[in-house]
Amino acid sequence: MHSSVGHWLILALPVAVVLFYAAMALLDRRRAPGARPVSFVQRNGIAVSTYLVVAVGVWTVLLIVLPQLYMIDLSFRPRLPPTQMGGPNDVYTLENYRFFLYGSTRSTAAWNTIHLKAFALTILASVAITFLNLLLCYPIAFYMAKAASTTRMRLLMLMLIAPYWVNEILRAFAIRVLLASSGVVNQALMGLGLVSEPVDFLGLDLGLYAGLSYAYLLMMVFPLYNAIESLDRNQIEAARDLGGPWWHIHLFVVVPHAKPGIASGCTLVFMLTAGALAAPQILGGPRTLWFTPIVYDRFYQAFNWPQGAAYAFLLLVACIVFVLATMRVCRLSLGEITR
Amino acid sequence: MTSAVELDHVTVRFGAFTAVQDATLSIEAGEFFSFLGPSGCGKTTLLRTISGFIEPSEGQVRIGGTDMRGLGPNRRPTALIFQNLALFPMMSVAENIAYGLRVRGVSRSARREVAERLLDLIALPGHADKRVDELSGGQKQRVAIARALAVEPKVLLLDEPLSALDLKLRQHMRNELRAIQRRVGITFIYITHDQGEALAMSDRIAVMNRGVIEQVADGRTLYEAPRTAFVASFVGENNAFVGTVAEADRDRALVTTAAGPLSGRNLRNLMRTSEAVLFVRPEAVVLGEGPLTGRATEVAYEGILTHATFELDGGGRMTATIPRGAPVPKPGAAVRLGYDPADALVLPREGFAHA
Ligand SMILES: Nc1ncnc2c1ncn2[C@@H]1O[C@H](COP(=O)(O)OP(=O)(O)OP(=O)(O)O)[C@@H](O)[C@H]1O
Ligand SMILES: [Mg+2]
């Protein structure tokens, strides 16, 4: 009985919300149309306002802020058996972060090269993958937004979306199958006589990068599409009429206009790639360590939650700092991204 | 006089739909030439054909005597000003103006110089570093012109550039445009559905209807000697009487209409029994005598003129403009109406929509 509470909740909640909306619609119809409302509460009615405030509040506080704060707090505590938690030994410490740097909670003699390397690789590779994604998606998004007919656009959109109905793990395995030593790609290459021995795509990390690039493609296409779509076609034509070659028009007319979309696409893809778990676990070569599996291992292999929290927090901070810095360089504000 | 732009039997089709049909005309260098026509008659299509965004399905566009076939808009000596201007919002005013030069690899300082010079020309000195959205409607308008002029086109194409402005500004910009054209001396091809605009600015006007150029002439000729019923009804106000030619000679034609037999000039040499429309301008209508009788339904005093509308006894209506000082009919009063047949025109009915 106890275990099924969650199931009931997940089924009943949507029903409750629908009923709530219906009740509000009824309430709304009864109310006589009066003078123009002004404040947030007046504009939306008490019911809607309460709902918005409570829903958003619960969402941000309960589901985002509190757990994160708990994790951050945890990351500054030593690893203790449950009985000692809250006891005299449960003090704030930097030992988890020290471990990340030196591979030991006490000695600072040697660097923790494995983890540091994985961390750097994750950030750098995510940057590269984000950039590659941008280059791949820009022409697609531009074509969909400005060149394609409506039918062709819909078809393309469907073709982009449909593969994402397949779940992430299956997609990663599919790439693994494709690129394995006896996979389709290798067989084709050998059949054509281009190589004599199978290429170890997975060992070379090509599989990993291909999988990661593919995993979040849509996150790049859609913001780009939205941004380019809103560009007045006449501006492109005006630039062309004034003699602009195509690359110049893209670089100086389309891209500046699409900058918020580019930024939001890049941010999304970068964050998701750096935090990806399935693709690195499935496609990672034997010698490559992506940072997220390490974090995962801290929690579940080493059973060291404080250390896992510290690692996860480090990754988060690094990503945020990186994104903010990039936006600063591109002279973009956070508000523009969400336009 | 050399021809700046020649259209040689140009036809443009979109699928089965013909947007421009067999347009042939020649626009002279330095001319202010307008295309006038109702919405959807193919004006923009024709302009885009001249600028190179559309290839004609048939016929030839020649600019400066050279066939333009296969040359894209970036390789034609034309510059287009869009209906919505299409300034680049992320560039400053000066950068907008100099965009065409930047594309051509002109140095930064030279670009700046040209931008400043053009800003003087359009009477906006000191606005170089403003953002485009800080400008007023009329200022944006002028910046768009400067941006087009910067590439030194032989022909400037303007697609209803004043339609977004309010009335006052529109009238001011008419003069401004004309003045700029005189100063730079290049050919302007101007599109509008506003006849007042076309008449006020243009050296010559082509009147278009449903993809067909009906008449090319200066404003006075269009008003006083329209060749077709469409031009007569579209340019200026006109009273139209549909009927059949009963008698005709070289100068005069007598048309049997619902309001009775009416006669007018037979400029198109119509024969007996042809379908025709007789046109009388409101200012040519004479009150108090004549072959028509009617009742005043509306009398609107407009200062220098009074506008009167009459319900005719034989059916149909007629408007008259009465100059200041002349007697004005009372609403509802029966009046005799007439005109001097030398002021009336008999034209073929073909292409005349409303009866
Ligand atoms: N790309 C196109 N495909 C199909 N039909 C088109 C296309 N462009 C224009 N048309 C059609 O051609 C006709 C003429 O259009 P055009 O834009 O030239 O009119 P216009 O005279 O400029 O009208 P307006 O004064 O409203 O701007 C219209 O009936 C329009 O529907
Ligand atoms: Mg148009």
Side-chain angles (χ1 to χ4, degrees):
Chain A
M1 194 58 221
H2 173 257
S3 69
S4 63
V5 169
H7 301 194
W8 281 112
L9 206 62
I10 212 69
L11 288 175
L13 260 180
V15 177
V17 173
V18 168
L19 288 177
F20 180 68
Y21 287 152
M24 274 185 329
L26 280 178
L27 208 80
D28 213 45
R29 199 185 294 172
R30 282 225 206 111
R31 227 189 3 228
R36 283 188 74 81
V38 200
S39 77
F40 178 74
V41 174
Q42 276 172 320
R43 185 148 27 102
N44 299 305
I46 291 184
V48 181
S49 313
T50 321
Y51 171 70
L52 285 177
V53 170
V54 170
V56 174
V58 167
W59 164 259
T60 42
V61 174
L62 215 62
L63 299 179
I64 301 177
V65 177
L66 281 183
Q68 293 300 333
L69 283 179
Y70 175 77
M71 276 296 165
I72 294 171
D73 179 72
L74 189 65
S75 76
F76 288 103
R77 290 177 187 278
R79 179 188 181 192
L80 295 168
T83 45
Q84 287 191 33
M85 280 191 187
N89 287 337
D90 199 352
V91 289
Y92 284 116
T93 166
L94 284 174
E95 68 177 44
N96 297 314
Y97 295 92
R98 212 177 291 137
F99 186 87
F100 170 71
L101 286 177
Y102 305 109
S104 149
T105 48
R106 296 207 165 61
S107 146
T108 56
W111 295 101
N112 185 358
T113 33
I114 297 180
H115 289 179
L116 286 172
K117 255 190 182 161
F119 189 76
L121 175 91
T122 301
I123 300 286
L124 288 179
S126 297
V127 171
I129 285 169
T130 306
F131 192 62
L132 177 71
N133 251 324
L134 176 63
L135 294 183
L136 288 178
C137 294
Y138 179 84
I140 300 175
F142 184 82
Y143 178 78
M144 290 204 315
K146 288 286 167 249
S149 66
T150 321
T151 18
R152 191 120 5 121
M153 201 277 277
R154 294 233 176 93
L155 189 71
L156 200 62
M157 194 85 95
L158 191 70
M159 278 161 52
L160 278 173
I161 294 174
Y164 287 85
W165 294 344
V166 177
N167 73 52
E168 197 183 356
I169 295 177
L170 214 56
R171 263 185 285 136
F173 271 113
I175 292 184
R176 200 186 166 104
V177 169
L178 214 64
L179 296 180
S181 303
S182 56
V184 183
V185 176
N186 268 320
Q187 286 187 350
L189 286 179
M190 287 196 292
L192 290 171
L194 290 176
V195 293
S196 52
E197 286 185 6
V199 184
D200 185 11
F201 289 116
L202 296 171
L204 292 170
D205 285 336
L206 281 174
L208 174 63
Y209 296 139
L212 281 171
S213 305
Y214 180 53
Y216 306 109
L217 210 67
L218 280 190
M219 300 296 171
M220 186 63 93
V221 171
F222 283 116
L224 281 184
Y225 170 79
N226 273 335
I228 297 175
E229 158 85 307
S230 67
L231 174 65
D232 176 10
R233 192 187 301 263
N234 284 347
Q235 280 189 23
I236 301 174
E237 293 194 334
R240 203 146 76 87
D241 190 51
L242 291 168
W246 63 269
W247 58 268
H248 196 277
I249 297 173
H250 280 289
L251 219 52
F252 294 103
V253 177
V254 186
V255 167
H257 175 87
K259 215 156 88 171
I262 294 173
S264 88
C266 286
T267 315
L268 272 174
V269 170
F270 174 74
M271 293 285 197
L272 288 170
T273 309
L277 184 60
Q281 275 191 338
I282 295 165
L283 293 167
R287 279 161 290 117
T288 336
L289 269 179
W290 200 253
F291 197 65
T292 35
I294 295 177
V295 177
Y296 184 84
D297 280 353
R298 293 298 102 194
F299 280 102
Y300 285 106
Q301 232 59 52
F303 272 110
N304 193 339
W305 279 50
Q307 214 174 70
Y311 275 43
F313 185 53
L314 275 173
L315 183 62
L316 178 69
V317 169
C319 288
I320 290 179
V321 166
F322 181 80
V323 165
L324 290 180
T326 313
M327 273 167 43
R328 193 58 185 271
V329 172
C330 299
R331 296 209 203 92
L332 266 169
S333 73
L334 210 56
E336 276 178 289
I337 285 197
T338 52
R339 254 205 321 230
Chain B
M1 269 280 176
T2 50
S3 288
V5 177
E6 287 165 284
L7 303 182
D8 191 353
H9 297 286
V10 170
T11 296
V12 181
R13 290 193 202 93
F14 297 113
F17 178 77
T18 306
V20 174
Q21 194 175 343
D22 200 24
T24 299
L25 56 81
S26 161
I27 299 167
E28 273 149 30
E31 197 173 10
F32 197 119
F33 191 95
S34 293
F35 285 96
L36 173 66
S39 185
C41 70
K43 305 181 297 288
T44 299
T45 305
L46 197 53
L47 204 68
R48 289 171 65 83
T49 311
I50 297 173
S51 59
F53 287 103
I54 300 175
E55 278 289 334
S57 316
E58 278 165 37
Q60 227 182 34
V61 175
R62 283 190 294 273
I63 300 179
T66 317
D67 184 6
M68 287 289 127
R69 176 165 299 275
L71 292 183
N74 48 350
R75 292 168 60 206
R76 297 194 181 188
T78 58
L80 178 60
I81 293 176
F82 289 78
Q83 213 155 351
N84 66 354
L85 306 184
L87 293 173
F88 306 126
M90 52 279 168
M91 298 182 199
S92 72
V93 168
E95 284 170 338
N96 259 285
I97 294 177
Y99 181 83
L101 301 175
R102 180 166 159 202
V103 169
R104 285 163 177 74
V106 175
S107 77
R108 182 182 290 270
S109 57
R111 292 202 308 254
R112 183 72 191 192
E113 230 166 82
V114 173
E116 305 260 355
R117 185 168 55 72
L118 284 167
L119 280 168
D120 283 342
L121 177 85
I122 58 170
L124 281 181
H127 286 62
D129 297 313
K130 282 203 172 164
R131 284 154 42 109
V132 170
D133 52 19
E134 290 170 347
L135 301 179
S136 72
Q139 291 173 332
K140 279 186 193 148
Q141 189 63 62
R142 282 181 272 177
V143 171
I145 294 167
R147 184 178 71 175
L149 289 176
V151 298
E152 298 184 357
K154 287 210 183 85
V155 182
L156 195 66
L157 307 165
L158 304 100
D159 190 352
E160 305 204 28
L162 306 187
S163 56
L165 306 181
D166 62 60
L167 187 68
K168 258 270 164 54
L169 197 53
R170 207 150 63 212
Q171 284 177 344
H172 172 72
M173 282 306 295
R174 278 183 194 174
N175 301 334
E176 195 86 348
L177 267 179
R178 193 68 231 236
I180 290 173
Q181 195 255 347
R182 289 218 183 86
R183 255 173 279 164
V184 296
I186 62 171
T187 312
F188 273 40
I189 300 182
Y190 189 90
I191 276 190
T192 180
H193 60 252
D194 178 338
Q195 41 153 323
E197 226 166 83
L199 293 176
M201 291 195 286
S202 323
D203 295 319
R204 283 192 305 154
I205 301 165
V207 181
M208 284 185 78
N209 182 30
R210 299 194 197 172
V212 177
I213 294 178
E214 300 244 339
Q215 186 172 3
V216 181
D218 60 90
R220 178 180 291 272
T221 310
L222 287 180
Y223 193 84
E224 290 176 0
R227 299 272 308 157
T228 68
F230 175 80
V231 176
S233 59
F234 191 74
V235 180
E237 265 195 81
N238 232 330
N239 295 299
F241 299 90
V242 178
T244 315
V245 177
E247 281 168 38
D249 59 32
R250 283 178 51 97
D251 310 319
R252 287 290 151 86
L254 186 72
V255 184
T256 315
T257 72
L262 299 172
S263 78
R265 290 158 72 201
N266 188 9
L267 283 184
R268 298 284 303 271
N269 283 321
L270 292 180
M271 299 294 166
R272 244 175 64 87
T273 73
S274 34
E275 303 262 304
V277 189
L278 181 133
F279 288 98
V280 185
R281 295 272 178 206
E283 64 271 21
V285 175
V286 181
L287 270 65
E289 53 181 307
L292 300 162
T293 52
R295 217 164 273 285
T297 52
E298 249 175 77
V299 179
Y301 173 74
E302 283 171 17
I304 193 161
L305 292 170
T306 302
H307 239 78
T309 309
F310 301 91
E311 202 76 56
L312 295 179
D313 287 347
R317 48 177 55 226
M318 189 168 197
T319 61
T321 46
I322 304 157
R324 207 161 74 116
V328 172
K330 287 203 173 51
V335 194
R336 289 202 78 77
L337 297 158
Y339 58 86
D340 180 352
D343 291 335
L345 275 176
V346 179
L347 296 169
R349 187 176 171 183
E350 199 186 329
F352 183 68
H354 42 100

